[in-house]
Amino acid sequence: MDLVLSREAVNSLISIIDEDLLRAGADCVLLVDRSGNLIVNRGDPANLDVVALAALSAANFGATSEIAKLIGEDDFALLFHKGKNENIHFTKVGHGFILITLFGKDISLGVIRLKTAKVTEQLIPLLSGEH
C-alpha cells in the first residue's frame, strides 16, 4: 500500500491524537499501517522500541484477524492487553491502519475506548485522502 500524506494531513493526525488521547491520559499513541510501518508516534515512549512495537502489533492484529475468521467473524475491531503497570489497546482504523494506545492504571479502559472511537472517526478521512 502506498501512502502519501501532506504535512497538513500529518499535523492534523498529530493534533487529533494529542487532543483526544494524550490529553485524556494515554502515555503513548502510535498509528501504524497493517504492514507494521510507523506513521505517527506521539507521547512519551520512554525506552520503548516503537518500530518493533509497530511491527509486532501489526503481526498480532493479522494473527487475530485469522482467529476471527476461524470463528466466523470477518475481523475484530479492537484488541486489549492488560499488564501489571501498563496496558495496550489496539483499534482498527479503516481497512489499512491500527491505532495503538499505551496507558497506565490512572485511566480507565472505558475512557480509552471512548476516546479511540472518536479519534478513529476523525482519522479515517485523513488517511483515505478525503481531507
Side-chain angles (χ1 to χ4, degrees):
M1 169 177 42
D2 292 330
L3 175 67
V4 178
L5 294 170
S6 68
R7 178 176 291 281
E8 179 182 271
V10 171
N11 288 338
S12 294
L13 294 171
I14 289 170
S15 176
I16 291 165
I17 290 169
D18 287 0
E19 181 70 27
D20 287 311
L21 286 168
L22 293 182
R23 184 177 277 183
D27 297 326
C28 180
V29 180
L30 285 71
L31 179 65
V32 304
D33 68 14
R34 298 236 7 202
S35 297
N37 298 304
L38 182 61
I39 298 168
V40 171
N41 171 27
R42 302 300 296 163
D44 181 16
N47 296 322
L48 184 66
D49 182 347
V50 293
V51 174
L53 178 60
L56 292 170
S57 296
N60 185 28
F61 224 84
T64 305
S65 179
E66 292 303 315
I67 292 170
K69 290 176 185 160
L70 287 175
I71 64 167
E73 292 291 328
D74 291 333
D75 205 352
F76 292 126
L78 67 89
L79 303 172
F80 171 68
H81 298 293
K82 181 169 179 50
K84 186 182 290 181
N85 298 311
E86 196 75 26
N87 306 303
I88 188 164
H89 183 274
F90 307 89
T91 303
K92 186 169 86 171
V93 180
H95 294 290
F97 303 94
I98 304 166
L99 187 68
I100 304 165
T101 306
L102 282 77
F103 62 102
K105 296 183 274 188
D106 299 338
I107 184 168
S108 74
L109 174 60
V111 169
I112 291 296
R113 289 186 66 184
L114 184 68
K115 295 293 186 179
T116 55
K118 180 181 175 190
V119 166
T120 299
E121 287 181 18
Q122 294 174 300
L123 296 182
I124 289 173
L126 293 168
L127 294 168
S128 64
E130 296 173 14
H131 180 261

